[in-house]
């Protein structure tokens, strides 16, 4: 039971860190362009340029 004195604050701290990370991602605009992701997957930007074309 003594280990709960250690584990409960650690769990609360990790939860607060996760919440802070989520709020930071909202503030920095990570979820603004939800429609663009489905179109970017179709682009072939990683193909090398072919001079023969």
């Amino acid at each position: 039971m003594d280990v709960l004195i250690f584990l409960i604050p650690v769990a609360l701290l990790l939860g607060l860190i996760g919440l802070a990370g989520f709020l930071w991602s909202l503030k920095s605009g990570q979820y603004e362009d939800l429609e663009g992701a489905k179109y970017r997957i179709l682009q072939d930007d990683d193909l090398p340029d072919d001079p023969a074309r």
Side-chain angles (χ1 to χ4, degrees):
M1 286 304 274
D2 292 334
V3 74
L4 289 178
I5 295 171
F6 176 72
L7 289 179
I8 290 174
V10 169
L12 290 174
L13 180 67
L14 288 175
L16 287 175
I17 290 172
L19 179 64
F22 175 69
L23 292 175
W24 171 79
S25 68
L26 279 178
K27 187 177 179 182
S28 67
Q30 294 291 319
Y31 303 107
E32 292 294 323
D33 187 21
L34 296 177
E35 294 293 319
K38 66 181 177 184
Y39 296 115
R40 280 193 300 271
I41 197 170
L42 299 174
Q43 295 175 352
D44 289 333
D45 291 339
D46 58 343
L47 295 177
D49 292 334
D50 189 11
R53 282 187 168 178

